[in-house]
Each structure stands twice: as structure tokens, then as C-alpha cells.
Amino acid sequence: MGHSAAVWDYKAATEITKDWNGIDKVVLRNPGGASARVSLHGGQVTSWRNEQGEELLFTSSKAIFKPPKAVRGGIPICFPQFGYCGSLEQHGFARNKIWTIDENPPPLSPSDSHGKSFIDLLLKPSEEDLKCWPHSFEFRLRVSLAADGSLMLISRVRNVNGKPFSFSFAYHTYLSVSDISEVRIEGLETLDYLDNICQKERFTEQGDAITFEAEVDRVYLSTPNVVAVLDHERKRTYVIRKEGLPDVVVWNPWEKKSKSLVDFGDDEYKQMLCVDGAAIEKPVTLKPGEEWTGRQELSVVPSTFCSEHLDLQSNGF
Ligand code: BG6
């Protein structure tokens, strides 16, 4: 049974416990019974459940829950580099680090806190990080769960260095789907994309919507702030709203690549799809003292709701 949002104690609905590696994990709950789980390993969201308790994010049955490698699933944070587009390891180091709880973060707008269970995390570079990426930063991540069950991630990266630096970024979002061949993405049609399978060659999307029948590994450019992922079989649509994140990564490894991933089941590509709000093509540059904010909100609506009521051209928030 759900509780009334008016009397819900949002602070008490945020519980911090240890995982089996002794690393803190945070569970957020809302009055309706939805929940989200965030690990301090990587600042990674590892679970997001609706009011019926159904898991909405994919995690591989072969996932390795042993730091430093990020868990295969949930929402790893790719920072300060997406993919191999720089000198760092694939997707940067943030997803492999232990974050801390930020007890006193600089304020966000009241609407980012009111009626939400949330946790604020912080990552600062270690000596070792500074050797391979010599830029001092403060990365603040707020993860919040709203009364309607939507999940919001707000990243704030501040340059606390004496010199400018640039980075790329992605919320590497593993959505759980019923059957990849029954899924389509709306909102990316007619856009240009860089194809990671063809040495980042630039193409223009031709179809009415994106569907899947082979490996897809693309960075869609200058995307709208709202994108929808329709899962026909489950009659469920994921709505991704974003801000400060011009690109969208779409990834499904399909059959052959799945077999090459040690922490991923051979057939699991059928049950997942990564759709990531990202800033990749044009890296973000911060001068000393400057801060960047990138937001991504995930919500779920019944599929019938989508085409009629969702304005995919709208401004996101
Ligand atoms: C995607 C990339 O975002 O992440 C793919 O576009 C990559 O090229 C995939 O294979 C998984 O990366 P990783 O490092 O988590 O295995």
C-alpha cells in the first residue's frame, strides 16, 4: 500500500547501508513504494523500481560486484571521458572510484528537493587520478526519486583548478526491455550520428524511429531534450528528459559482441538497451571557477500515452 505524499518523511526514506564489499549504498523510497539504489562505488545507480516493485534498469546476471570495475548495468557515470576519445581508460575513471556522501552541497533549486527522496554524492580526484588527468575538479551528483516514481540525476562539475579543462560525459543508462526486437526509440529520427562501429563516421538517421536488428553503437548529435523508448511487449515507454546533454548514445552489443564481454550473458542483449544523455561531440570546457550542470530524468508511462501526449520537441523540463 502506498503512503500519502503529504505526510511522507523524505529524509527517513533515504537509508544508507553497506554492500557485501563494505561499500555504502543508499536506498531511496517514495510514498507509492517505488525505490532506487545508488552505490558509492562509481556513484552508480544500480536499481530503479516502480510502485509494483518491477526493476526498470538492466543489470547483467554475470555482473561482477567487485571494485574497481564498474558493475555491468544500472547507470554508470562516464567521466571525464566517454569511450576511447582521449588518453584515459574507456569511459574515464569516475565509474571506478569510491565517491563520498556530500553532507553540505551547494544548494540546488527548491524544486530539485521538494517532495523528493535524494542523496548528494561527491567525487574529487585522488593523487593517482591527477597523474593521468591533471585537473582538479569537484563532481557533485544528486540522485533523487520523486513522488511519481521518476528518477532524476543532476551532475555538477566544478573547475577548482588554475587552468581551463575539457571533458566528455555520459549517463550510461542500461534500460531493461522485454525483447530488443520489439523496442523503438522516438525523438532521434532524421538526426546525424557518429557510428562507433564505422570508425566514428557521420551518418544521418533515415528511419521513422530507431529499431534493432543488429549491433548498434552510435552517438546521436544535437538531440532534442526529450527522447522516448517504447517497449511494445510490456506496453511501457521510458521517457528520458535531459538538459545540458546535447548528445544521446544508443548501444546494444547484439549477439557477437555480447559473447566477448566477460560480465555479460550471451543472450542478455535481448533484455537491455543503453540510451544515454551525454556530452561527447563537443567536450564541455570549464574555466577556473566555472561549473557545468547536466540533468537526466527517467520516467515511465504506459505506451499508449506516448505518441499522443508526449511533445518530443519540447524543452525537457
Ligand atoms: C557504450 C559504448 O557506451 O559502452 C560501447 O558506446 C561500449 O562502445 C559500451 O562497448 C560498453 O563499455 P564498457 O567499457 O562498459 O564495456
Side-chain angles (χ1 to χ4, degrees):
M1 267 306 275
H3 293 71
S4 152
V7 296
W8 186 249
D9 181 347
Y10 284 94
K11 220 163 171 63
T14 302
E15 189 193 352
I16 302 172
T17 55
K18 299 256 181 236
D19 68 14
W20 50 54
N21 292 305
I23 298 169
D24 281 349
K25 63 176 182 189
V26 184
V27 179
L28 307 174
R29 292 195 178 81
N30 87 348
S35 66
R37 197 173 60 224
V38 190
S39 173
L40 266 61
H41 174 212
Q44 184 168 342
V45 174
T46 54
S47 168
W48 172 42
R49 290 179 187 268
N50 63 15
E51 300 192 352
Q52 289 71 46
E54 294 163 329
E55 180 59 60
L56 302 169
L57 297 175
F58 168 87
T59 298
S60 172
S61 61
K62 297 253 180 90
I64 301 164
F65 295 90
K66 193 111 197 95
K69 211 173 168 299
V71 168
R72 174 78 59 200
I75 312 181
I77 302 279
C78 304
F79 172 86
Q81 173 185 303
F82 176 80
Y84 286 115
C85 64
S87 58
L88 300 176
E89 60 199 290
Q90 158 118 310
H91 295 334
F93 50 75
R95 64 176 176 164
N96 300 330
K97 299 293 167 184
I98 303 297
W99 295 50
T100 56
I101 291 175
D102 194 1
E103 301 289 357
N104 205 6
L108 282 156
S109 81
S111 62
D112 288 320
S113 311
H114 187 72
K116 293 180 168 121
S117 309
F118 60 86
I119 188 77
D120 288 290
L121 303 184
L122 175 63
L123 180 70
K124 293 183 185 182
S126 64
E127 291 295 314
E128 183 198 335
D129 300 334
L130 288 169
K131 278 185 202 146
C132 55
W133 203 69
H135 310 293
S136 270
F137 65 85
E138 288 172 357
F139 187 142
R140 292 193 160 77
L141 173 67
R142 170 168 295 189
V143 180
S144 63
L145 183 70
D148 66 0
S150 58
L151 179 75
M152 170 81 102
L153 289 93
I154 305 174
S155 286
R156 292 180 286 173
V157 177
R158 178 171 288 280
N159 182 345
V160 291
N161 209 25
K163 290 186 184 148
F165 64 69
S166 301
F167 63 88
S168 50
F169 175 92
Y171 289 116
H172 196 1
T173 310
Y174 285 77
L175 300 174
S176 166
V177 299
S178 56
D179 173 0
I180 187 66
S181 51
E182 297 289 322
V183 169
R184 69 172 206 267
I185 305 180
E186 289 186 0
L188 302 178
E189 48 280 2
T190 75
L191 298 182
D192 280 4
Y193 63 86
L194 306 177
D195 196 337
N196 282 330
I197 298 172
C198 299
Q199 292 76 46
K200 302 200 174 76
E201 203 181 323
R202 194 174 179 124
F203 295 96
T204 303
E205 183 60 54
Q206 302 293 344
D208 280 349
I210 296 158
T211 53
F212 298 88
E213 47 195 25
E215 181 182 354
V216 171
D217 189 351
R218 300 176 182 167
V219 179
Y220 285 85
L221 308 172
S222 306
T223 60
N225 278 335
V226 188
V227 171
V229 179
L230 285 76
D231 185 335
H232 286 291
E233 211 168 288
R234 285 204 185 124
K235 299 189 172 51
R236 169 195 286 170
T237 295
Y238 292 97
V239 182
I240 302 171
R241 292 190 167 80
K242 59 190 181 58
E243 208 175 80
L245 300 165
D247 305 322
V248 168
V249 180
V250 178
W251 181 59
N252 182 289
W254 218 254
E255 217 172 328
K256 191 162 158 240
K257 175 110 193 239
S258 295
K259 291 186 176 146
S260 72
L261 299 169
V262 288
D263 56 351
F264 193 82
D266 289 358
D267 285 331
E268 285 184 325
Y269 70 92
K270 294 175 183 165
Q271 272 89 55
M272 58 72 70
L273 176 62
C274 284
V275 184
D276 321 349
I280 297 167
E281 192 205 17
K282 297 187 185 97
V284 178
T285 299
L286 292 177
K287 294 193 191 114
E290 273 184 347
E291 187 174 83
W292 165 87
T293 303
R295 293 162 178 262
Q296 178 175 282
E297 185 196 57
L298 301 175
S299 54
V300 177
V301 294
S303 278
T304 46
F305 185 84
C306 185
S307 348
E308 295 141 45
H309 302 275
L310 260 189
D311 180 4
L312 295 180
Q313 303 309 316
S314 82
N315 258 338
F317 295 101

